[in-house]
Amino acid sequence: DAGVIQSPRHEVTEMGQEVTLRCKPISGHDYLFWYRQTMMRGLELLIYFNNNVPIDDSGMPEDRFSAKMPNASFSTLKIQPSEPRDSAVYFCASSLAMGRLLDTQYFGPGTRLTVL
Amino acid sequence: AQTVTQSQPEMSVQEAETVTLSCTYDTSESDYYLFWYKQPPSRQMILVIRQEAYKQQNATENRFSVNFQKAAKSFSLKISDSQLGDAAMYFCAYRRGLGGSEKLVFGKGTKLTVNP
């Protein structure tokens, strides 16, 4: 399997612009997670989906952030409008639920976002 | 809320020696999972080892092993025969067990340097 795929790997944009980050989970995985990593706050969960349905979005910072999962093989995280404080590395991860044997989360390579 | 604490921001070890990274966590749950992830300079989050709380036996993966002390809520990672490729940030993470939230709660990380 190719693993979790994220695009773009790097994104540089100007304040006020819309940013869309993309993720393709591992085929067959039914959970998808979006995390953000900053020096100040470390790694924190933004939102996660189960079978394409958002389950917990309590980590989404504010209304400028939105996430969708239109099908089992694709998810987007959108920031509109972007601000310099959104600069971070954004990770997508996926996992497979098998009862008690809930599998490990496998991470993508991340998208480094810089908002100028 | 669950918290994960890594008290060592940085550690160093000589090549071929052994090093132990510390992690403590706080939870009122009895069923949960613990993980160590490695993040090399490439940014990719790589699973190193996992431990189910209901298992008394410490997990082992080749040169990596854990010392899981459930009563003390401690989960340390031991790396034996350290190699230059082990240099990375190491993150301890917690997840509730079956029926709980699927999100990972991460510690702040420990930066490991391996000296030749």
Side-chain angles (χ1 to χ4, degrees):
Chain A
D1 200 312
V4 177
I5 298 172
Q6 290 186 250
S7 65
R9 292 295 307 275
H10 304 273
E11 177 79 27
V12 180
T13 190
E14 293 190 347
M15 183 173 62
Q17 296 298 305
E18 178 180 294
V19 175
T20 299
L21 311 182
R22 297 172 176 79
C23 174
K24 176 180 170 55
I26 294 173
S27 178
H29 281 193
D30 47 5
Y31 280 84
L32 183 139
F33 305 81
W34 283 100
Y35 290 90
R36 178 172 67 176
Q37 184 179 34
T38 62
M39 289 296 293
M40 290 295 295
R41 299 175 67 90
L43 272 157
E44 52 183 350
L45 178 76
L46 299 177
I47 186 171
Y48 78 91
F49 297 82
N50 177 216
N51 292 323
N52 313 337
V53 176
I55 302 300
D56 182 355
D57 64 354
S58 60
M60 295 286 264
E62 48 199 274
D63 292 344
R64 297 185 298 107
F65 286 69
S66 62
K68 295 182 179 179
M69 193 164 185
N71 57 62
S73 59
F74 183 66
S75 177
T76 59
L77 178 67
K78 185 177 294 186
I79 309 172
Q80 167 63 20
S82 58
E83 297 181 2
R85 61 192 168 118
D86 301 330
S87 297
V89 179
Y90 291 81
F91 286 100
C92 177
S94 70
S95 69
L96 178 65
M98 298 174 63
R100 173 170 278 280
L101 299 177
L102 185 61
D103 202 359
T104 300
Q105 291 180 27
Y106 295 91
F107 284 73
T111 295
R112 180 178 291 279
L113 173 65
T114 302
V115 183
L116 303 174
Chain B
Q2 292 80 18
T3 59
V4 177
T5 303
Q6 293 179 248
S7 59
Q8 306 151 316
E10 296 189 26
M11 291 282 286
S12 64
V13 63
Q14 291 296 125
E15 198 175 2
E17 297 295 308
T18 296
V19 65
T20 298
L21 308 183
S22 301
C23 173
T24 58
Y25 58 95
D26 185 26
T27 183
S28 58
E29 304 290 332
S30 58
D31 187 18
Y32 52 88
Y33 300 82
L34 297 164
F35 304 83
W36 279 98
Y37 279 88
K38 169 185 176 181
Q39 187 179 40
S42 67
R43 275 200 331 254
Q44 180 82 45
M45 293 289 287
I46 302 165
L47 177 69
V48 175
I49 199 165
R50 62 180 264 171
Q51 175 82 42
E52 291 86 348
Y54 64 88
K55 291 186 177 178
Q56 297 202 359
Q57 186 173 7
N58 289 324
T60 299
E61 289 288 341
N62 300 315
R63 298 183 295 106
F64 298 87
S65 61
V66 298
N67 183 6
F68 173 48
Q69 301 289 328
K70 191 171 183 179
K73 296 180 182 175
S74 171
F75 182 62
S76 60
L77 175 69
K78 185 172 81 171
I79 306 174
S80 304
D81 185 26
S82 297
Q83 301 176 0
L84 295 178
D86 295 333
M89 285 290 293
Y90 285 81
F91 293 93
C92 179
Y94 166 100
R95 195 192 75 214
R96 288 174 62 180
L98 189 64
S101 172
E102 310 306 340
K103 72 176 183 181
L104 287 168
V105 177
F106 287 91
K108 295 294 187 185
T110 296
K111 181 179 181 180
L112 178 65
T113 301
V114 181
N115 301 309

